[in-house]
C-alpha cells in the first residue's frame, strides 16, 4: 500500500505530479505578484485622482499679489493643518524663489525636479519620509509657480502587505485544492494501467489465457501486442511439446528394433554384443523418458501462484509405492504435521515426492520415515531410510544428472536430477545428509502457498 502511494523516481505518476506542482505553484506565485502590483497601481491611481482634484482647489486659492506665495483660503482637508498629517502642499514662486508650505510639512521642503511636471513621482528624504507627489508648473497673472501636492505612501504600503498576506493564504489553499484535484485526476487517468496490471496478473495466475476487458484506445494497441505475444508463446510451447512427443514416439520403433536385434544376437551365441545393444537401448529409453518428464513440468514466473497439499501428496505416493516390488516389504512411517499448502502445481509435487520416495525405497532395508513440518515461509519434507548410507565425500555428488553411486542397484540415476529440476523451477531446495537410521536423509524445502 505504501509503495502504491509513494511511487519511485522513475514513476510516470511522480513525474506528472511534480510537473503539476511546479506549474500550479509557479502560476499562483506569478499571479500573486501580478495581482499585488495591480492592487498597488490602482491605489496609486486613486491617490493621483485625489491629488489632481486637490490641485485644482489649491490653484484656485493662490494669491498672486504677494511676493511670497500665499493662499486666500485654507483647503478643507484638516490633514494639511496637522504636522505630518498625511496630506501636504507646497507653492514655489519661480520668479522670487519664495516658498509657501502647508503646516503638515512642518520643517520639510519638497524638492521636485522640473521634468516631473504633471506626473506622479515617489519622493523620499534621508529620514525615509516617503510621499507620492503631483507637481505642476503654472502661471497666474504673469507670475510662474510650481505647485506640489503630496500624500503619505505608508498606507498604500501597509494595504499592499495586508493584501499580499490575504492572497497568499488564499492561493495556498487553492494550491492544495488544485494539487489534490490533479492527484485525483492522475489516479483516474492511470486507472486503466492498474487494470492492465491486474489483467496481466490474472494471465500469470492462469485464470485467463489472454488480456480481457475494455481498455482505452491509447492502451488498446499494447493490449493487442501482449495478447499476440501470449498466443505466440503458447503456440511455441505447444509446438515444442509436440516435437518432444513426436521424437519420443519416433524413437520407440528404433529402440524396439535394437532389442529385437539383441535377442537374435543372443540366440546366435553373441551374448556380449547383445548385452551392449540392450544397455544402449535402455540408456536411450531412459534419457528420452527423462526429457519427456522435464518437458511436462510447469514453467513458473515470480508472480505465478499455486497451492497444493503436501500431506495429501505424501500419503498418495506412499500408498502407490507400498504396492510396488521394492515398497511392499518396507515399513512406512509417516509423521505428518499440520497440512501445509505449498506453492507448486499438484502434478509437479507428485512427481517430486514420487522420485524422492522411490529412490529411498530402492535403498532401504526395512523402513522409511517420512515427516512434514513448516519452518517460517517454507514447508519441510524429510525422508530417511535405513539403507547402507553414502560416504560424506560422495553425498555432494547426489542429484547430478545420471549419477549412480552403486551400479548393482537398478536405476538410471535421473530421479534425483528430476527432483532438482522441479525444485529449481518452483523456488525450493534439496539437501542430503547422513540419517539417524544409518541411511540417507533427504530434506526438501518448498515455499508455502501465498494466501
Amino acid at each position: 500500500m505504501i509503495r502504491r502511494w509513494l511511487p519511485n523516481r522513475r514513476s510516470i505518476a511522480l513525474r506528472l505530479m511534480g510537473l503539476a506542482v511546479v506549474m500550479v505553484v509557479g502560476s499562483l506565485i506569478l499571479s500573486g505578484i501580478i495581482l499585488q502590483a495591480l492592487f498597488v497601481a490602482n491605489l496609486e491611481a486613486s491617490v493621483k485622482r485625489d491629488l489632481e482634484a486637490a490641485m485644482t482647489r489649491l490653484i484656485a486659492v493662490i494669491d498672486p499679489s504677494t511676493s511670497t506665495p500665499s493662499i486666500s483660503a485654507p483647503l478643507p482637508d484638516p490633514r494639511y493643518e496637522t504636522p505630518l498629517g498625511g496630506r501636504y502642499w507646497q507653492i514655489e514662486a519661480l520668479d522670487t524663489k519664495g516658498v509657501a508650505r502647508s503646516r503638515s510639512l512642518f520643517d520639510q521642503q519638497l524638492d521636485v525636479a522640473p521634468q516631473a511636471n504633471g506626473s506622479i513621482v515617489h519622493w523620499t528624504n534621508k529620514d525615509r519620509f516617503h510621499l507620492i507627489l503631483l507637481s505642476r508648473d503654472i502661471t497666474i497673472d504673469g507670475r510662474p509657480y510650481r505647485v506640489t501636492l503630496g500624500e503619505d505612501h505608508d498606507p498604500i504600503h501597509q494595504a499592499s502587505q495586508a493584501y499580499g498576506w490575504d492572497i497568499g493564504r488564499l492561493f495556498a489553499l487553492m494550491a492544495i485544492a488544485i494539487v489534490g484535484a490533479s492527484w485525483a485526476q492522475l489516479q483516474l487517468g492511470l486507472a486503466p494501467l492498474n487494470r492492465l496490471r491486474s489483467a496481466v496478473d490474472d494471465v500469470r495466475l492462469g485464470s485467463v489465457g489472454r488480456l480481457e476487458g475494455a481498455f482505452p484506445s491509447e492502451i488498446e494497441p499494447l493490449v493487442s501486442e501482449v495478447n499476440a505475444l501470449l498466443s505466440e508463446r503458447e503456440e511455441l510451447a505447444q509446438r515444442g511439446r509436440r516435437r518432444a512427443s513426436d521424437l519420443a514416439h519416433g524413437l520407440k520403433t528404433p529402440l524396439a528394433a535394437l532389442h529385437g536385434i539383441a535377442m537374435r544376437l543372443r540366440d546366435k551365441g553373441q551374448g556380449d554384443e547383445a548385452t551392449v545393444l540392450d544397455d544402449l537401448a535402455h540408456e536411450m529409453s531412459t534419457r528420452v523418458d527423462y526429457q519427456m518428464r522435464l518437458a511436462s513440468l510447469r514453467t513458473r514466473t515470480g508472480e505465478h501462484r499455486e497451492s497444493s497439499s503436501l500431506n495429501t501428496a505424501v500419503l498418495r505416493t506412499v500408498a502407490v509405492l507400498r504396492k510396488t516390488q521394492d515398497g511392499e516389504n518396507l515399513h512406512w512411517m509417516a509423521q505428518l504435521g499440520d497440512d501445509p499448502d505449498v506453492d507448486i502445481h499438484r502434478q509437479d509435487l507428485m512427481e517430486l515426492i514420487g522420485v524422492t520416495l522411490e529412490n529411498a525405497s530402492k535403498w532401504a532395508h526395512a523402513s522409511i520415515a517420512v515427516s512434514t513440518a513448516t519452518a517460517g515461509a517454507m514447508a519441510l519434507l524429510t525422508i530417511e531410510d535405513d539403507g547402507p548410507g553414502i560416504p560424506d565425500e560422495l553425498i555432494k555428488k547426489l542429484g547430478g544428472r545420471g549419477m549412480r553411486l552403486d551400479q548393482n542397484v537398478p536405476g538410471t540415476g535421473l530421479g534425483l536430477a528430476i527432483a532438482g529440476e522441479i525444485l529449481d523451477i518452483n523456488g525450493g531446495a534439496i539437501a542430503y545428509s547422513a540419517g539417524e537410521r544409518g541411511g540417507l536423509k533427504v530434506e526438501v524445502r518448498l515455499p508455502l502457498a501465498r494466501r
Side-chain angles (χ1 to χ4, degrees):
M1 181 63 68
I2 294 177
R3 183 180 179 184
R4 179 179 178 182
W5 291 104
L6 295 178
N8 59 46
R9 62 180 182 177
R10 294 177 294 178
S11 169
I12 295 177
L14 182 62
R15 293 179 181 180
L16 293 178
M17 276 306 301
L19 181 60
V21 169
V22 171
M23 292 180 62
V24 169
V25 173
S27 299
L28 291 178
I29 290 177
L30 181 60
S31 299
I33 294 173
I34 294 174
L35 285 176
Q36 189 170 23
L38 291 174
F39 178 75
V40 172
N42 278 296
L43 288 180
E44 291 182 350
S46 177
V47 170
K48 180 182 179 181
R49 288 192 296 270
D50 290 344
L51 292 176
E52 287 176 343
M55 175 73 71
T56 302
R57 289 192 294 270
L58 180 60
I59 293 174
V61 297
I62 293 176
D63 185 3
S65 62
T66 60
S67 58
T68 300
S70 62
I71 57 176
S72 58
L75 295 179
D77 194 332
R79 291 179 292 176
Y80 292 113
E81 301 301 322
T82 304
L84 303 179
R87 270 295 183 94
Y88 315 93
W89 60 262
Q90 176 178 290
I91 303 172
E92 180 182 0
L94 299 180
D95 53 354
T96 63
K97 304 301 181 183
V99 177
R101 296 189 298 270
S102 64
R103 293 184 61 187
S104 57
L105 274 175
F106 197 52
D107 60 349
Q108 302 288 334
Q109 182 169 346
L110 305 178
D111 299 323
V112 183
Q115 56 268 30
N117 183 29
S119 61
I120 288 289
V121 296
H122 290 260
W123 180 86
T124 57
N125 62 5
K126 61 181 180 180
D127 298 326
R128 296 187 178 179
F129 190 45
H130 187 185
L131 303 179
I132 300 177
L133 299 182
L134 175 63
S135 180
R136 183 175 298 171
D137 292 343
I138 62 172
T139 301
I140 301 177
D141 294 340
R143 296 189 62 185
Y145 293 93
R146 177 168 295 156
V147 182
T148 303
L149 283 168
E151 185 171 327
D152 281 338
H153 189 272
D154 287 343
I156 295 178
H157 179 69
Q158 293 169 2
S160 173
Q161 284 188 327
Y163 180 76
W165 281 111
D166 289 341
I167 63 173
R169 288 189 289 267
L170 174 62
F171 281 7
L173 294 176
M174 289 179 59
I176 294 173
I178 294 174
V179 170
S182 298
W183 176 255
Q185 181 183 18
L186 183 61
Q187 293 300 310
L188 182 63
L190 294 180
L193 294 181
N194 293 328
R195 289 198 293 109
L196 178 61
R197 181 176 59 185
S198 299
V200 172
D201 190 54
D202 290 339
V203 172
R204 289 176 174 173
L205 291 173
S207 303
V208 295
R210 295 168 57 85
L211 299 181
E212 299 177 347
F215 293 93
S217 58
E218 293 81 2
I219 302 179
E220 194 63 40
L222 175 61
V223 174
S224 300
E225 291 295 329
V226 171
N227 283 334
L229 181 61
L230 291 173
S231 299
E232 184 178 353
R233 187 184 67 171
E234 181 62 24
E235 177 62 27
L236 289 175
Q238 292 292 345
R239 189 181 304 169
R241 294 190 186 97
R242 288 195 298 269
R243 289 182 178 177
S245 179
D246 293 344
L247 176 62
H249 289 292
L251 289 175
K252 285 183 179 180
T253 301
L255 290 175
L258 286 177
H259 282 296
I261 294 174
M263 292 176 60
R264 289 194 293 272
L265 289 176
R266 191 171 283 108
D267 292 339
K268 293 180 181 180
Q270 300 178 10
D272 293 340
E273 290 80 355
T275 300
V276 171
L277 285 179
D278 272 336
D279 290 343
L280 289 175
H282 181 70
E283 178 69 17
M284 292 174 63
S285 179
T286 56
R287 295 288 178 177
V288 170
D289 179 63
Y290 172 70
Q291 293 299 331
M292 288 295 295
R293 292 167 77 178
L294 289 184
S296 67
L297 298 180
R298 269 69 177 168
T299 301
R300 297 292 302 275
T301 65
E303 298 296 328
H304 201 144
R305 302 181 182 92
E306 298 284 357
S307 181
S308 303
S309 171
L310 179 59
N311 289 354
T312 301
V314 170
L315 292 175
R316 289 181 178 177
T317 304
V318 170
V320 172
L321 290 178
R322 290 181 63 180
K323 299 177 182 179
T324 63
Q325 181 178 357
D326 292 327
E328 62 180 354
N329 297 321
L330 297 176
H331 177 57
W332 295 84
M333 295 175 290
Q335 185 177 356
L336 307 182
D338 295 335
D339 191 9
D341 290 332
V342 290
D343 186 14
I344 180 175
H345 192 272
R346 184 179 60 84
Q347 178 179 332
D348 293 349
L349 179 61
M350 295 293 294
E351 181 78 13
L352 170 65
I353 296 176
V355 295
T356 51
L357 286 178
E358 184 180 2
N359 181 76
S361 66
K362 289 180 181 179
W363 294 94
H365 293 316
S367 65
I368 295 177
V370 184
S371 64
T372 61
T374 57
M378 305 293 286
L380 177 63
L381 169 66
T382 304
I383 302 171
E384 290 189 60
D385 63 69
D386 62 350
I390 300 174
D392 292 339
E393 62 272 12
L394 296 180
I395 285 182
K396 62 183 181 181
K397 295 182 179 181
L398 284 176
R401 185 178 299 181
M403 177 59 63
R404 296 179 60 197
L405 302 182
D406 191 343
Q407 301 294 329
N408 295 321
V409 177
T412 62
L414 298 176
L416 295 181
I418 292 175
E421 294 276 1
I422 296 174
L423 291 169
D424 286 342
I425 292 174
N426 293 279
I430 189 168
Y432 307 98
S433 61
E436 296 178 358
R437 300 174 178 273
L440 181 66
K441 178 180 180 180
V442 180
E443 291 183 324
V444 176
R445 291 180 177 271
L446 281 168
L448 293 174
R450 285 171 282 183
R451 300 183 184 277

